[in-house]
Amino acid sequence: MELGRAGLAWAAALLLAALGAQAAAAAAGDFDPYRVLGVGRSSSQADIKKAYKRLAREWHPDKNKDPGAEDKFIQISKAYEILSNEEKRANFDRYGDAGESQGYSQHQHRQFHHFHEGFYFDESFFHFPFNSERRDTSDEKYLLHFSHYINEIVPDSFKKPYLIKITSDWCFSCIHIEPVWKEVAQELEALGVGIGVVHAGYERRLAHHLGAHSTPSLLGLINGKITFFHNAVIRENLRQFVENLLPGNLVEKITDKNYIRFLSNWKKENKPHVLLFDHMPVVPLLYKLTAFAYRDYLSFGYVYVGLRGTEELSSQYNINVYTPTMMIFKEHIDRPADVVQARDMKKQLIDDFLSQNKFLMVARLTNQKLFQELCPVKKSHRQRKHCAVLLTGEGDKFAEAYEAFLTFAVANTKDTLKFVHIYRDRQPEFADALLMDEEKYRGKSAVVILERHNNAGKITYKTLEEAWQGSKEDNFILLDLLDQLRTDPGLLSSETVLADLNDELAPMFLIRWLYSTLDYISDCWDSLFHSNWREMMPLLSLLFSALFILFGTVIVQAFSDSSDPRDSPPSEKEETAAKTEKNDASFSKESNRIPKKGFVEVTELTDINYNSNLVRLRPGHMNVVLILSNSTKTMLLQKFALEVYTFTGSSSLHFSFLSLDKHREWLEYLLEFAQDVAPIPNQYDKHFLERDYTGYVLALNGHKKYFCLFKPHRSGDEGGTPGSCEDYDSSLHVEARGKSSCSPGSRSIKNKLHKLSFWMERLLEGSLQRFYIPSWPALD
């Protein structure tokens, strides 16, 4: 009975395979490159090329005015691109597809092998347990891709740490750690830790970027920095690993002795302070993660209520020692600004509580980011946001005015109105833009009400006419102005543009450099003990390269003889003789010298360097190719070097020459796509093989598959007899300033490249006509 069921299953699988093959064949029938070019499946490359050249010449849109000529030409080009590539042609012959799409035919080929290769069972049919996607579907929501990791995960790691697992198919160790991983991932995610999974088989680029060269691998990511996990995969070790990723100074232990100092730092740090009272002897991981997420806005302390030395603190704030209590203190340390108590402190409850108390009642503007958060740009007339800014100074002289402004702010707190203050001596540009009459407010405080209109700094504002001293009259004037502002937004009649605020709390450059150095040393130290040799290779390569350069320089200097006459500067007479000798030397000798100023490196385009110099040329790079023959090689290269020498400073230009005697057919194939500029004679014309292409220059863009054409300059003495010069090697350093050593007849040949420099200027400007081709022909 079981055998019968297996047979039915096999029959169903084979039937699906047959139906898939028929569907693939039907889809492939829509486009047949053999039918388009009119050749058989057994045709050689020469026959295919000949058919393509004939059809391309016939259906070229510049020559054929038929409305469907352009579509026909595109089909011809596509067909030739498939059949001229042996791999694509083999894929089409086998599957009916050139391999450019992931069609059903390829999928069917992967799922069902041929019978002569042995029986193949699809794991999805038998639910085989070693495929990672079917093994644990809980990882699917954590899967990371390279772009997602770079654009979202790395920036988010500055708010919360990430625990990432690297896995793959057929990984038995991955199966072993999955129960622990699943339990820890759910637990840490509830606390606010980011979880990620990278499948090394499908995301090789990301796995290589992370430095994971084996599976399974576990790593932590925080502040954009990667740390590998090297201990046994158990729950306690993973929790401790994530906790160790966090900075050690996030939460301060608070007792009766230091709580006043801690809470009084609100003015120096310009932050509210948070205290958590709990009966746990260690700081909870959830509280540490919260402190890391809000470290830019709040300072965190922890009070262990079961510890001796916290009785006074618990008694002063009336703390229930059996229930976790969180308090936020702002400008007044004798009483909390807000309190929350709960037997089970959940992440969502803490986030809601802290997000509503991120700022002081009258925060000091210390940087542009804080200014943008407290005084946001208005989005519409119904969502107006106003800021009342106290421009004051430091010291006891201004304390009374500040306390009066703080009392007014506490009594008039609203969602659409924020109260802030600023030190005039620390932000002079901000204060000068708002106070037109500085003498009137010198040594005094001032209040300005403003509204931001855009991120470029444009605001409208109104400054109180009298200086702010905190009197009852000042309070009535400010309150009346705010009441009028509700109904009359035009009350803010002045307008200006504010510059960005200085970052007052930013660390000095030396301190930032010191921290970066310590982080780098810590990474290197960790790599020495835990990383494998592949991860250490970049550091070792850098170290040995530096040592090699250092000792190589010392050895060369030690063995160099400063008295060697070859190193001594030549005399004026010797220098003149050297110049004469250089001008008379042949190019075969010049080609052996090291390139220097005044020389242009010109390489012959051959079938050996054809791919690297043209087909696989980097995007944005072009190869400028001179067409010459054996008899005109010397004269044209000299003139070519002279014309293009001023353009050799561009790293995106390469210079080559092509022998017309060897590759005439390749050149004529390209020129067929530029018929309106350089028409090619009919092959039955008796002068077909006498066409002179010497002096033509092609600018070839290998990446975008187009070229620009320079035709030789016609002069009256073109009939001159070219002189015979010495031949060159395949790679030449042509002197751009040297005089010709050929016969006078070479002048007519050199005139062919007259005004080439002007053509080069238009090439760099991008104003030359471009001739596109479907693919680069082989140079053979």
Side-chain angles (χ1 to χ4, degrees):
M1 186 69 177
E2 295 294 332
L3 184 61
R5 292 180 179 177
L8 290 176
W10 249 131
L14 293 176
L15 180 60
L16 289 174
L19 292 175
Q22 292 179 1
D30 296 338
F31 180 79
D32 186 357
Y34 293 103
R35 186 175 69 250
V36 173
L37 294 183
V39 295
R41 291 184 175 268
S42 60
S43 301
S44 63
Q45 285 292 334
D47 296 335
I48 293 173
K49 185 176 181 180
K50 186 182 299 183
Y52 167 70
K53 292 178 67 176
R54 175 178 55 80
L55 292 173
R57 187 182 293 113
E58 178 183 355
W59 290 97
H60 196 284
D62 293 340
K63 297 182 62 178
N64 195 320
K65 302 306 179 182
D66 190 280
E70 185 175 357
D71 294 337
K72 182 68 174 178
F73 184 77
I74 293 175
Q75 289 187 355
I76 293 170
S77 301
K78 182 179 179 181
Y80 179 70
E81 185 178 359
I82 294 175
L83 298 183
S84 61
N85 187 300
E86 293 295 341
E87 183 179 355
K88 292 183 179 181
R89 183 178 180 181
N91 287 336
F92 183 84
D93 292 341
R94 185 175 300 176
Y95 311 120
D97 183 75
E100 298 176 350
S101 61
Q102 299 296 328
Y104 179 82
S105 60
Q106 295 182 9
H107 178 72
Q108 177 264 340
H109 177 68
R110 290 194 300 267
Q111 296 293 332
F112 302 97
H113 287 191
H114 296 291
F115 282 103
H116 65 78
E117 295 176 353
F119 290 99
Y120 176 82
F121 299 91
D122 181 18
E123 60 184 74
S124 63
F125 185 80
F126 294 96
H127 302 284
F128 200 59
F130 291 111
N131 184 287
S132 62
E133 294 184 7
R134 292 172 175 82
R135 183 174 65 244
D136 188 2
T137 57
S138 63
D139 282 349
E140 291 183 0
K141 65 177 181 178
Y142 303 129
L143 288 176
L144 302 180
H145 305 286
F146 185 82
S147 59
H148 177 231
Y149 172 81
I150 296 296
N151 298 326
E152 298 183 24
I153 301 300
V154 173
D156 198 40
S157 68
F158 289 86
K159 298 179 182 178
K160 63 181 179 181
Y162 273 81
L163 183 64
I164 300 176
K165 178 182 72 171
I166 314 295
T167 184
S168 64
D169 289 336
W170 301 97
C171 173
F172 293 92
S173 299
C174 300
I175 302 174
H176 179 71
I177 70 171
E178 273 186 1
V180 178
W181 164 260
K182 185 175 181 179
E183 177 187 359
V184 174
Q186 292 177 352
E187 179 183 355
L188 294 180
E189 187 180 22
L191 298 179
V193 178
I195 306 297
V197 176
V198 178
H199 196 296
Y202 303 119
E203 287 292 333
R204 295 182 181 178
R205 183 183 179 188
L206 179 54
H208 180 74
H209 176 79
L210 296 174
H213 305 292
S214 62
T215 56
S217 293
L218 298 177
L219 57 91
L221 174 70
I222 188 169
N223 292 332
K225 176 186 174 183
I226 298 172
T227 304
F228 277 85
F229 176 78
H230 300 287
N231 297 325
V233 183
I234 58 177
R235 176 182 176 275
E236 292 75 14
N237 288 346
L238 288 174
R239 282 181 59 94
Q240 190 62 41
F241 171 69
V242 172
E243 191 167 352
N244 291 339
L245 293 175
L246 299 170
N249 58 349
L250 287 173
V251 180
E252 184 177 350
K253 295 291 185 66
I254 303 300
T255 63
D256 294 341
K257 297 180 180 180
N258 63 354
Y259 82 95
I260 294 180
R261 176 194 57 78
F262 174 76
L263 296 179
S264 300
N265 280 338
W266 67 267
K267 182 174 293 186
K268 179 181 177 182
E269 298 177 359
N270 195 36
K271 296 178 180 178
H273 283 58
V274 185
L275 283 181
L276 174 64
F277 297 82
D278 201 352
H279 59 277
M280 299 293 294
V282 296
V283 181
L285 179 58
L286 173 60
Y287 191 58
K288 288 186 177 181
L289 293 169
T290 304
F292 179 76
Y294 290 91
R295 67 189 184 280
D296 293 337
Y297 301 97
L298 303 164
S299 293
F300 292 82
Y302 181 74
V303 182
Y304 173 34
V305 295
L307 180 68
R308 181 177 299 177
T310 61
E311 296 86 353
E312 178 185 347
L313 186 58
S314 302
S315 175
Q316 180 176 350
Y317 298 115
N318 194 22
I319 300 299
N320 183 356
V321 297
Y322 301 103
T323 303
T325 304
M326 185 176 293
M327 292 184 173
I328 287 187
F329 296 84
K330 295 186 178 181
E331 283 88 349
H332 301 105
I333 66 173
D334 56 336
R335 61 183 184 276
D338 204 352
V339 180
V340 62
Q341 286 185 341
R343 292 190 177 274
D344 189 10
M345 285 280 187
K346 297 292 186 180
K347 181 180 182 301
Q348 187 63 44
L349 174 65
I350 297 176
D351 286 343
D352 294 340
F353 177 69
L354 296 181
S355 60
Q356 297 174 4
N357 295 279
K358 292 196 304 181
F359 305 106
L360 296 170
M361 297 301 299
V362 182
R364 181 162 61 91
L365 299 182
T366 56
N367 53 59
Q368 185 66 18
K369 178 183 176 183
L370 188 60
F371 180 44
Q372 292 174 349
E373 291 192 57
L374 289 172
C375 304
V377 176
K378 74 166 187 177
K379 298 181 180 179
S380 65
H381 293 288
R382 296 182 179 180
Q383 296 180 346
R384 291 182 176 274
K385 301 287 185 179
H386 297 99
C387 271
V389 184
L390 174 67
L391 303 176
T392 185
E394 301 179 72
D396 297 336
K397 178 181 177 181
F398 302 93
E400 184 179 353
Y402 169 76
E403 290 295 335
F405 189 76
L406 174 60
T407 303
F408 183 89
V410 172
N412 295 275
T413 301
K414 298 175 182 177
D415 293 337
T416 59
L417 179 64
K418 294 293 183 181
F419 293 88
V420 297
H421 73 286
I422 195 169
Y423 289 155
R424 293 172 57 179
D425 55 344
R426 298 194 183 188
Q427 305 289 346
E429 295 183 3
F430 187 95
D432 293 344
L434 298 177
L435 300 179
M436 302 301 295
D437 189 0
E438 297 184 11
E439 294 296 332
K440 181 179 179 179
Y441 302 97
R442 184 177 298 275
K444 300 179 181 180
S445 301
V447 174
V448 178
I449 303 175
L450 61 85
E451 180 182 16
R452 295 179 64 229
H453 290 270
N454 56 36
N455 292 321
K458 181 181 178 181
I459 66 166
T460 55
Y461 69 97
K462 182 176 180 58
T463 306
L464 266 66
E465 296 181 359
E466 299 297 331
W468 175 269
Q469 298 180 357
S471 62
K472 291 184 178 180
E473 183 180 358
D474 291 341
N475 281 269
F476 284 131
I477 293 175
L478 180 57
L479 184 61
D480 182 62
L481 184 60
L482 294 176
D483 289 338
Q484 295 180 40
L485 193 60
R486 295 177 186 175
T487 58
D488 184 15
L491 191 64
L492 305 182
S493 55
S494 302
E495 184 176 312
T496 187
V497 177
L498 296 176
D500 289 349
L501 294 173
N502 303 322
D503 193 351
E504 300 177 13
L505 303 180
M508 298 175 59
F509 170 77
L510 184 61
I511 297 178
R512 295 200 304 268
W513 179 85
L514 180 62
Y515 287 158
S516 300
T517 304
L518 292 177
D519 289 341
Y520 181 75
I521 294 175
S522 176
D523 292 342
C524 296
W525 184 262
D526 183 70
S527 299
L528 287 174
F529 288 96
H530 298 294
S531 298
N532 55 36
W533 283 104
R534 184 179 299 180
E535 296 171 6
M536 286 292 296
M537 196 58 66
L539 180 62
L540 294 176
S541 176
L542 177 63
L543 179 62
F544 282 110
S545 299
L547 293 176
F548 178 78
I549 295 173
L550 178 62
F551 287 103
T553 305
V554 173
I555 293 174
V556 169
Q557 290 180 351
F559 285 93
S560 62
D561 187 2
S562 59
S563 62
D564 194 340
R566 292 175 296 178
D567 297 335
S568 59
S571 62
E572 183 179 354
K573 183 177 180 180
E574 292 174 347
E575 187 175 358
T576 306
K579 288 183 178 180
T580 306
E581 183 179 356
K582 180 184 68 175
N583 291 337
D584 295 338
S586 63
F587 278 92
S588 61
K589 295 180 180 179
E590 291 288 349
S591 61
N592 296 326
R593 298 182 181 179
I594 299 176
K596 57 184 180 180
K597 184 178 180 181
F599 286 85
V600 181
E601 184 174 357
V602 186
T603 306
E604 183 178 3
L605 198 62
T606 63
D607 55 348
I608 298 176
N609 59 14
Y610 180 68
N611 284 333
S612 60
N613 286 4
L614 176 58
V615 179
R616 297 174 183 171
L617 206 59
R618 287 180 295 176
H621 287 238
M622 298 188 72
N623 197 341
V624 181
V625 181
L626 169 67
I627 308 300
L628 48 73
S629 61
N630 291 334
S631 59
T632 61
K633 193 172 188 179
T634 301
M635 292 77 73
L636 287 179
L637 278 174
Q638 282 187 346
K639 181 64 175 176
F640 181 70
L642 184 64
E643 292 287 332
V644 303
Y645 172 68
T646 56
F647 304 94
T648 54
S650 175
S651 59
S652 61
L653 289 180
H654 309 269
F655 301 98
S656 304
F657 68 89
L658 183 77
S659 175
L660 187 61
D661 303 320
K662 302 176 183 178
H663 307 294
R664 173 182 290 270
E665 184 179 357
W666 180 89
L667 175 63
E668 290 182 345
Y669 169 79
L670 254 64
L671 294 181
E672 287 179 359
F673 296 93
Q675 289 283 348
D676 52 340
V677 177
I680 306 301
N682 191 283
Q683 59 180 339
Y684 300 106
D685 190 349
K686 63 179 182 179
H687 301 293
F688 177 70
L689 296 177
E690 299 176 5
R691 181 74 175 180
D692 183 18
Y693 299 111
T694 58
Y696 278 53
V697 178
L698 304 176
L700 309 174
N701 190 314
H703 179 68
K704 293 188 175 181
K705 298 179 182 179
Y706 73 81
F707 65 92
C708 302
L709 177 64
F710 171 82
K711 290 185 63 178
H713 176 71
R714 299 296 180 183
S715 60
D717 56 347
E718 225 175 21
T721 305
S724 58
C725 295
E726 189 175 354
D727 203 355
Y728 292 85
D729 298 332
S730 61
S731 182
L732 302 174
H733 296 289
V734 186
E735 187 178 359
R737 296 172 296 177
K739 297 181 180 180
S740 173
S741 58
C742 305
S743 62
S746 63
R747 184 178 305 170
S748 60
I749 297 178
K750 286 188 175 183
N751 284 339
K752 290 188 172 186
L753 299 181
H754 183 55
K755 296 184 178 181
L756 177 61
S757 59
F758 297 103
W759 182 83
M760 290 291 297
E761 291 179 0
R762 294 185 59 195
L763 174 66
L764 295 180
E765 294 172 356
S767 59
L768 292 176
Q769 183 179 2
R770 298 177 180 180
F771 305 100
Y772 288 86
I773 62 173
S775 62
W776 294 109
L779 193 69
D780 51 19

